[in-house]
Amino acid sequence: EALPLYRRALASDPLYAHAAVRLGVALEALGDLPGALDAYREYLRRGPVIAADGEAVRRKIDGLEQEGARPPP
């Protein structure tokens, strides 16, 4: 149920980066690792508000890529 809400939030507010990271967490939990990677990258493109958050998301991306989810674009 949350996925459409996160996607709608991203579409309606380009500055709402938090929705991208929450979408990534939800997709990762559902096993959609390529989708999670896309969402985490979108979060970084939108610009994390707190530098530590950006670093945590970069670590998530690295971990998923090491699991073979998908190489960087």
Side-chain angles (χ1 to χ4, degrees):
E1 290 182 30
L3 296 180
L5 298 175
Y6 291 137
R7 287 185 172 117
R8 197 168 338 150
L10 289 168
S12 67
D13 185 352
L15 299 177
Y16 189 41
H18 185 72
V21 81
R22 297 308 308 155
L23 177 61
V25 169
L27 291 169
E28 189 175 356
L30 292 172
D32 181 358
L33 301 185
L37 272 174
D38 288 342
Y40 292 143
R41 289 185 182 122
E42 181 64 22
Y43 172 75
L44 293 177
R45 276 191 293 277
R46 288 174 186 249
V49 176
I50 300 170
D53 290 346
E55 188 54 40
V57 170
R58 284 184 193 87
R59 284 193 304 271
K60 279 194 145 308
I61 289 170
D62 289 345
L64 289 173
E65 287 174 345
Q66 287 177 6
E67 290 178 27
R70 183 171 46 191

